Amino acid sequence: MLNDAWDVVVVGAGPAGATMAALLARRGRSVALIDAAHFPRQKVCGEYLSAAAWKLLETLDLDVPRSLAMPLRSLVLSASTGRNVEVAYAPDVARQPAALGRDVFDLRLVEAAQRAGATLLCGVRLRAVLRSGRRAVGVEVVDVADPSSGRELRAPLIVAADGRRSRVVQETGSFQLAHSEIVGFKRHVPVADFAAYENRIAMHAAPGCYIGVCPVAPGVVNLCGTMPKRAMQQAHGRIGAALQSLLPRATPLAPLLADSTVPLAAWHSMPEVAQQRSRHEMPGVLYIGDAMGTIEPLTGQGMTMALAGAQLAASLLHEADATTADVELQARYEGEWRRQFAGSIAAAAWFGRILRRPRLLQGLLATSRLLPGFTNALVQRAHRRTLTVET
Ligand SMILES: Cc1cc2nc3c(=O)[nH]c(=O)nc-3n(C[C@H](O)[C@H](O)[C@H](O)COP(=O)(O)OP(=O)(O)OC[C@H]3O[C@@H](n4cnc5c(N)ncnc54)[C@H](O)[C@@H]3O)c2cc1C
């Protein structure tokens, strides 16, 4: 078995892991960044990046310019009755979100990590966390293409950035996992009438389900959301058919749900979208991104939290001049993390409950007809609570 030593091993090269790898490598640490996937790859995600995310990308100098992304100037909330309301984002571009496909976004971030000096190992899956007594001291990984292979990467610090249901967290800590009967899905669809989708993100609600539609590249829109597991099972796993069963017959989304043989338009799914919050229980590890905690996906805050969480973890390590994460540092990090994100997570859960109940949303949209500006004010308020993080 190959055996090598690093200052840090980062497990998972999504936005959290790649950002953390870049920040630590810039400080002269030897960093191994491992991921089971090869980049570029698709990922179930609405691909909406908040204004705070764009600010962080610039502050952290991660070389993902806004010019790569599709501008979003308004949010359309749409109930299954066909009633909808459009809320404009701030006119100032720096305070607007923008959308970028995860194939492009995640690739740019791992490239930034590599330029900073991190070593990227793709197609490599975590098999186990290595321990010495009660401390994590490395990881054992396996080549995805060769399950009989094995390699040990030793490091005084293991960063868990392996997303929801993190394997690293399962082995070294604990998490609260809310029960969920919800699955996630996503598809990129090339569209001829692109102008109809440009500059806005539309959120369509149906019973137990929401679907976000936004432009992610010229001529391409992303259709992404969550729906009840039951609907997926009843449609024998056919995502388009399951969505058609939940939406009204005359849904404006019909053209985006139709079968397609274009490889880009393949469906991607995530078997369970549950809210998760982790706790550190072993020195030598730090959890970031979804591995540390998730936020209701439909608010489009997860990637912002992934970037901001990596920044927080890297700066605490730097301030403490620490080569590892002892119990005190982990406690400080968890406290800061809660302070920064707990309010947004709670507000996002509230917004999610409204969108998954079309009757509530219909009521909201009806009120907005009688009281123009009401929904606008409410959405702006929710937006301020859920889509802002410190940068
Ligand atoms: C339906 C849905 C829609 C969403 N829409 C948005 C949105 O519009 N905007 C937004 O900001 N957020 C959105 N999110 C949330 C966002 O996708 C996540 O918050 C974000 O991806 C978290 O980044 P991460 O780096 O922590 O984890 P991930 O992006 O999940 O990356 C984890 C990486 O770890 C790798 N990995 C996992 N296990 C292993 C292993 N054992 N060994 C090696 N590698 C491993 C994976 O291959 C992956 O590359 C959405 C989520 C869902 C479910």
Side-chain angles (χ1 to χ4, degrees), residues 11-17 34-37 39 41 43-49 102 106 124-126 161-164 167 184-185 210 224-226 270 273 288-291 297 300-304 306:
V11 183
I34 69 168
D35 203 292
F39 295 85
R41 53 117 171 78
K43 174 103 193 149
V44 172
C45 183
E47 305 182 330
Y48 164 108
L49 281 155
R102 292 289 297 264
D106 290 22
V124 165
R125 189 183 300 283
L126 176 92
D162 47 344
R164 287 169 181 268
R167 182 73 196 272
F185 57 85
Y210 82 86
C224 171
T226 61
M270 183 179 276
V273 183
I288 59 173
D290 278 5
Q301 181 85 25
M303 290 189 282
T304 313

